[in-house]
Amino acid sequence: MTHLLEVENLTRQFGGLTAVNKLSFYMDQGEVVGLIGPNGAGKTTCFNMISGSMRPSMGTVRFRGEVISGLKAHQVTKRGLTRTFQVVQPFPEMSALENVMIGAFARHRSRQAAEDKAGEVLERIAMKHKATVLARDLTLLELKRLEIGKALATEPELLLLDEVAAGLTPVEIDDILALVRKLNSEGMSLLVVEHVMKVIMNLSHRIVVLNFGSKISEGTAKEIAKDPAVLDAYLGEEGYVA
Ligand SMILES: Nc1ncnc2c1ncn2[C@@H]1O[C@H](COP(=O)(O)OP(=O)(O)OP(=O)(O)O)[C@@H](O)[C@H]1O
Ligand SMILES: [Mg+2]
């Protein structure tokens, strides 16, 4: 069977440092897979390679059976895979609508079509009422929604979220959690990097754990939460308490 995403022996070296080391995992249509691990474990590097913004030193990424490693980010986006950034990257002097339109131009040539698509997306992320507000005047929660909106406007089948809950208050985290869950219930497959355990444990069907670039565990939230290797490297002695 062809998986939606297949990562095989993915490796990235920076000089003498192996940031991602022979990482293999897969995900299927409709799944939410969490990718967790300590700071510097290689999660963002992994996202960079999957989404086409960084070439792997070794290994392959397949999306719907096609090898996409080696393609440029815009080519990967065209195939239906896109990502959000750990640090939100809006154009501050542009409106929320215009920021989302940038994503929409991945599929639409005319300004009107991009604007229509962006309007649709703003509705989907509950930001329609902020359409004309400049990004610099949005709150962090709104900017996180906008970051997701920019990605959604490229019409992905698989969305990679890099720490979408970072920096948010507990109430805001629930808000973003609800949005991500809604996207999944509408059929979106998601690969999620997150340090906020509540998000990871609540959303993920399966979790892959990285430490120093290597996979140290994989399983359901319940399984990895009691894996001694994960407790030792990441969750700490108390583990995760829901
Ligand atoms: N462009 C780069 N050049 C050199 N080293 C890099 C580069 N990008 C990442 N690294 C190193 O690779 C390792 C993995 O970094 P990465 O950003 O992927 O970790 P991460 O798991 O996303 O961490 P965090 O949870 O802090 O975001 C780190 O040691 C980092 O310093
Ligand atoms: Mg990171």
Side-chain angles (χ1 to χ4, degrees):
M1 193 188 104
T2 308
H3 296 295
L4 180 67
L5 180 76
E6 265 184 291
V7 169
E8 201 180 332
N9 282 322
L10 198 62
T11 300
R12 175 71 199 204
Q13 275 138 358
F14 297 113
L17 173 82
T18 304
V20 176
N21 191 8
K22 295 184 185 154
L23 175 65
S24 299
F25 71 93
Y26 71 89
M27 44 182 303
D28 288 321
Q29 186 77 44
E31 268 196 308
V32 181
V33 173
L35 184 60
I36 66 170
N39 292 117
K43 306 178 297 292
T44 296
T45 304
C46 184
F47 268 23
N48 289 341
M49 290 190 283
I50 295 173
S51 62
S53 53
M54 187 182 275
R55 285 185 84 90
S57 306
M58 223 179 68
T60 48
V61 179
R62 282 189 186 81
F63 182 58
R64 292 188 298 195
E66 181 194 4
V67 174
I68 58 162
S69 34
L71 295 182
K72 299 259 186 327
H74 71 272
Q75 296 170 313
V76 174
T77 298
K78 260 256 149 45
R79 283 162 173 77
L81 189 166
T82 196
R83 58 91 64 86
T84 65
F85 288 88
Q86 184 165 351
V87 179
V88 290
Q89 300 187 328
F91 288 97
E93 301 303 325
M94 286 166 59
S95 70
L97 182 76
E98 288 164 337
N99 269 279
V100 176
M101 279 172 70
I102 293 169
F105 279 119
R107 296 214 185 266
H108 301 280
R109 285 205 167 174
S110 85
R111 191 184 160 86
Q112 189 57 53
E115 192 173 328
D116 291 348
K117 181 70 204 176
E120 219 176 87
V121 167
L122 284 181
E123 195 137 351
R124 208 165 158 203
I125 59 170
M127 288 277 290
K128 190 100 192 183
H129 60 300
K130 299 281 178 175
T132 58
V133 177
L134 297 184
R136 64 155 195 238
D137 294 325
L138 296 174
T139 66
L140 180 62
L141 176 62
E142 289 164 348
L143 288 171
K144 296 273 187 173
R145 285 180 167 269
L146 194 66
E147 183 72 18
I148 293 176
K150 273 159 60 185
L152 288 180
T154 71
E155 300 171 32
E157 250 186 82
L158 172 58
L159 179 57
L160 276 48
L161 297 177
D162 197 353
E163 299 207 28
V164 75
L168 298 179
T169 66
V171 174
E172 292 172 336
I173 287 172
D174 286 342
D175 184 292
I176 217 85
L177 188 58
L179 173 60
V180 176
R181 190 172 280 133
K182 179 173 82 106
L183 295 178
N184 181 239
S185 72
E186 291 165 356
M188 180 83 64
S189 309
L190 293 142
L191 180 60
V192 181
V193 161
E194 191 58 74
H195 285 292
V196 178
M197 278 305 114
K198 184 178 177 184
V199 173
I200 280 290
M201 297 297 190
N202 277 288
L203 273 180
S204 312
H205 300 117
R206 287 185 297 121
I207 298 172
V208 171
V209 189
L210 284 184
N211 193 29
F212 293 113
S214 297
K215 182 165 82 177
I216 58 165
S217 189
E218 183 173 10
T220 63
K222 262 195 179 148
E223 286 163 356
I224 67 115
K226 59 179 190 228
D227 181 339
V230 178
L231 293 174
D232 189 42
Y234 187 53
L235 292 180
E237 276 172 16
E238 314 86 56
Y240 171 74
V241 186

